[in-house]
Amino acid sequence: MWKTLAVAGLLWAAATQCVHAQSSIALYGIVDTGIAYTNTAASSISAAGASRVSAVTGFGAGDRFGLTGIEDLGGGTRAVFTLENGFSGLTGAALQGGRMFGRQAFVGLDSERFGRVTLGRQYDISYDYLSPFLAWQTFGSIYGAHIGDVDNTFDTFRLDNTVKYQVSPIEGLRAGAIYAFSNQAGGAPDMGFANNRAYSLGLSWKSNGWQAALTWLHLDNPSSSTSGSNPGGAVGGEYTNATSIFYNTGFVTRQNVYGAAISYATQHAVFNFVFTDTLLDYAGAGSLGVRNYEINTRYYVTPALMLGAGYIFTDGSGFVGTGAKAFARGDHPQWHQLDLGAMYLLSKRTDLHVSVLYQRAAADADTVALNVLGPGGEGRTVQVGVVAGLRHRF
């Protein structure tokens, strides 16, 4: 009997070691802090603006720590998970509404043959596929995202209650889809299962230095996440902030975001063009169209030194409701924005970086609002920001 128990114990130990050998869990993160200056900043677009020098954190890449893991299930299939926390490197406080894992929290299956399906709190497909082309993401700072983040390419909100599917049928081609549930029972059109839901589609392609992407994001009643009628839906209470000037003007009943991007990389440089077209429908107050045109480039002077420059033209049209008067005096507001950045690698995981940002209101626009850093305040039509800091990845 003792021999039988000994053999069983050895077999169990061998099996346990085998499972551990086929599985892995990794801890990762970013801490990014520095100093920022802006010529004008205010608590809202109607408040008085003033210059400010402040300690800042997460401006190059949001502070975070996370756990990600895989388990080999055999036959080319793996179980996967990610739990990612966002925090302030200045105070240690949790971000994303105080969530423990507010940046990402999902579990899923990944198959070499059938693709990858994940469930939980995740980025929408538009952000996944467009972010590699954006100036703020590749060389700049979070303050250099598109004004108001109306296209969610800064990811002001992530999507809760989501099912995401991605597949790569041939090398270089990827397709994805996401559906985020409202988690409400059926009922009236504005209070049933479609109240605060979202879905998104995307397609990306890579080949011989070229990259391209096409995306679409749709949301129903996203404002109900902050109005109180359904904060537990797809958009979990993160739909608005001080610089979300287009969301703050009224209750958004429907939002559609169409995106396209193309990129070409040489040995030392990358050139990107990004276009997004967003349509917001407001309850009882018409609609607003916002188109962003972004061109940017980054150049590697040496393997350790990168320089970047980008220009964004934002063209709005259509909305003349009461709320629109907060940011425009007519139905055709425009903004020009310049993003400049530099990064110097002290090591593979630590870098120094600096960004200079300039935004100017034009045509019918009455205000400026650099992402997160602003808004500029009442009567201000030019806003400048300069930020510099130290970033460490682990």
Side-chain angles (χ1 to χ4, degrees):
M1 178 177 178
W2 291 108
K3 291 183 178 180
T4 302
L5 290 175
V7 171
L10 290 172
L11 290 175
W12 178 85
T16 302
Q17 290 176 358
C18 181
V19 169
H20 284 303
Q22 295 172 351
S23 305
S24 66
I25 296 178
L27 172 68
Y28 65 92
I30 300 174
V31 184
D32 180 15
T33 60
I35 305 296
Y37 163 81
T38 179
N39 69 318
T40 179
S43 58
S44 70
I45 58 179
S46 59
S51 62
R52 183 180 68 197
V53 178
S54 57
V56 292
T57 187
F59 66 89
D63 296 333
R64 72 195 73 175
F65 72 86
L67 293 168
T68 185
I70 61 172
E71 180 189 9
D72 191 343
L73 303 177
T77 301
R78 305 181 300 172
V80 298
F81 82 89
T82 293
L83 299 172
E84 188 174 280
N85 168 272
F87 66 94
S88 166
L90 295 178
T91 67
L95 302 181
Q96 289 81 47
R99 293 171 172 86
M100 179 177 290
F101 297 110
R103 292 183 63 88
Q104 298 183 84
F106 63 81
V107 66
L109 295 173
D110 188 8
S111 168
E112 295 176 0
R113 180 178 179 184
F114 298 108
R116 176 185 176 103
V117 59
T118 49
L119 303 92
R121 178 176 170 83
Q122 303 176 74
Y123 297 117
D124 74 80
I125 292 292
S126 294
Y127 174 80
D128 280 342
Y129 287 35
L130 293 181
S131 61
F133 301 89
L134 299 169
W136 84 263
Q137 182 75 288
T138 54
F139 65 80
S141 75
I142 63 175
Y143 309 129
H146 300 164
I147 184 170
D149 193 31
V150 69
D151 50 20
N152 205 41
T153 53
F154 170 65
D155 215 49
T156 292
F157 57 86
R158 292 153 178 82
L159 296 179
D160 294 339
N161 316 324
T162 60
V163 178
K164 179 188 286 188
Y165 176 69
Q166 297 187 86
V167 65
S168 181
I170 59 175
E171 184 177 358
L173 182 66
R174 180 175 59 149
I178 195 170
Y179 187 90
F181 293 86
S182 73
N183 276 6
Q184 281 196 332
D190 293 338
M191 294 300 296
F193 71 92
N195 185 35
N196 192 9
R197 69 171 177 182
Y199 41 90
S200 181
L201 299 172
L203 190 68
S204 69
W205 165 79
K206 295 180 181 180
S207 179
N208 297 323
W210 288 94
Q211 293 188 56
L214 294 172
T215 62
W216 171 53
L217 169 64
H218 174 88
L219 300 101
D220 289 305
N221 291 332
S223 288
S224 67
S225 67
T226 52
S227 70
S229 63
N230 189 17
V235 181
E238 302 165 286
Y239 191 62
T240 185
N241 57 49
T243 53
S244 298
I245 60 175
F246 307 119
Y247 300 157
N248 295 342
T249 60
F251 188 97
V252 179
T253 59
R254 185 174 293 106
Q255 181 175 359
N256 280 291
V257 183
Y258 303 92
I262 190 167
S263 172
Y264 180 70
T266 67
Q267 183 178 0
H268 298 289
V270 181
F271 304 91
N272 297 304
F273 174 74
V274 184
F275 169 75
T276 63
D277 186 2
T278 303
L279 181 64
L280 299 173
D281 292 328
Y282 295 93
S287 60
L288 170 69
V290 181
R291 292 158 296 280
N292 284 294
Y293 305 82
E294 176 178 336
I295 185 169
N296 66 72
T297 183
R298 60 187 187 275
Y299 181 76
Y300 294 85
V301 181
T302 70
L305 177 62
M306 180 182 70
L307 304 177
Y311 167 72
I312 303 165
F313 173 62
T314 301
D315 185 31
S317 62
F319 184 42
V320 293
T322 302
K325 295 177 182 178
F327 63 80
R329 58 184 176 271
D331 64 355
H332 195 193
Q334 295 179 339
W335 292 267
H336 301 275
Q337 183 170 310
L338 182 65
D339 294 3
L340 302 175
M343 179 179 68
Y344 181 75
L345 293 173
L346 300 174
S347 71
K348 290 183 178 180
R349 297 188 298 164
T350 304
D351 67 83
L352 299 170
H353 57 108
V354 61
S355 295
V356 178
L357 310 127
Y358 171 88
Q359 187 183 102
R360 179 173 64 85
D364 291 335
D366 263 349
T367 190
V368 284
L370 285 171
N371 187 54
V372 180
L373 190 64
E378 186 175 15
R380 298 297 189 119
T381 58
V382 172
Q383 190 174 22
V384 177
V386 181
V387 291
L390 173 68
R391 173 171 47 197
H392 178 75
R393 307 174 189 267
F394 60 89

